[in-house]
Amino acid sequence: MDMKLEVVVIPVADVDRSLGFYKALGWRLDADFATGDGLRVVQLTPPGSACSVIFGDEVSSAAPGSAEGLHLVVTDIEAARAELSGNGVDVSEVFHDAGGVFHHAGTKQRVPGPDPERRSYSSFVSFSDPDGNGWTVQEITERLPGR
């Protein structure tokens, strides 16, 4: 049976501020529903993604800004950084990890610049939304076998 990741819930403090932030990234607004009992659900989808994010009022009991390790995948990390920066996002410089396998949590073992061999899966930038939810953008130019 196929199982596909459809939605990731991210905890935010100010729904309208978050809506503005993600729309400014060019993400498609799929839904913005409110009920009379205080529930508000906002769903947006990054361009080209099959998975969306949801946030809102009474959607998550997690502390706003507590999500980390959210990943976006691009084919050109430098172009992605330029686009994010151009959209007003405080985005890191391009980096790779000293270990070369995957990035460590936080900023541990970050080496400035893209992977010197430009290997797929090995170059990154990072940014946070207005609440501090942490996003990593990873360059993938060629998928591993079976992917």
Side-chain angles (χ1 to χ4, degrees):
M1 171 182 298
D2 285 348
M3 290 189 187
K4 299 176 182 173
L5 183 62
E6 183 77 15
V7 170
V8 173
V9 177
I10 54 175
V12 303
D14 183 321
V15 178
D16 289 320
R17 178 182 66 185
S18 296
L19 176 58
F21 176 81
Y22 288 104
K23 283 181 70 176
L25 296 182
W27 295 20
R28 182 186 70 230
L29 176 62
D30 300 321
D32 187 349
F33 300 109
T35 64
D37 63 354
L39 178 69
R40 181 176 176 196
V41 179
V42 175
Q43 178 174 320
L44 293 108
T45 304
S49 179
C51 185
S52 303
V53 297
I54 284 181
F55 53 83
D57 292 320
E58 297 190 27
V59 171
S60 175
S61 60
S66 62
E68 62 180 44
L70 301 164
H71 270 70
L72 299 168
V73 172
V74 298
T75 56
D76 184 333
I77 198 68
E78 290 162 337
R81 185 191 183 287
E83 183 174 316
L84 287 165
S85 181
N87 287 330
V89 175
D90 182 15
V91 61
S92 75
E93 295 296 326
V94 176
F95 66 91
H96 63 283
D97 191 81
V101 177
F102 193 68
H103 63 86
H104 287 73
T107 58
K108 182 180 177 184
Q109 296 205 24
R110 283 189 181 182
V111 179
D115 177 69
E117 298 173 35
R118 290 312 292 251
R119 294 172 294 175
S120 192
Y121 297 92
S122 299
S123 299
F124 310 91
V125 295
S126 63
F127 68 93
S128 296
D129 72 7
D131 286 293
N133 293 302
W135 290 90
T136 299
V137 182
Q138 181 178 32
E139 182 178 75
I140 299 178
T141 55
E142 184 178 336
R143 292 273 181 188
L144 291 170
R147 294 285 325 227

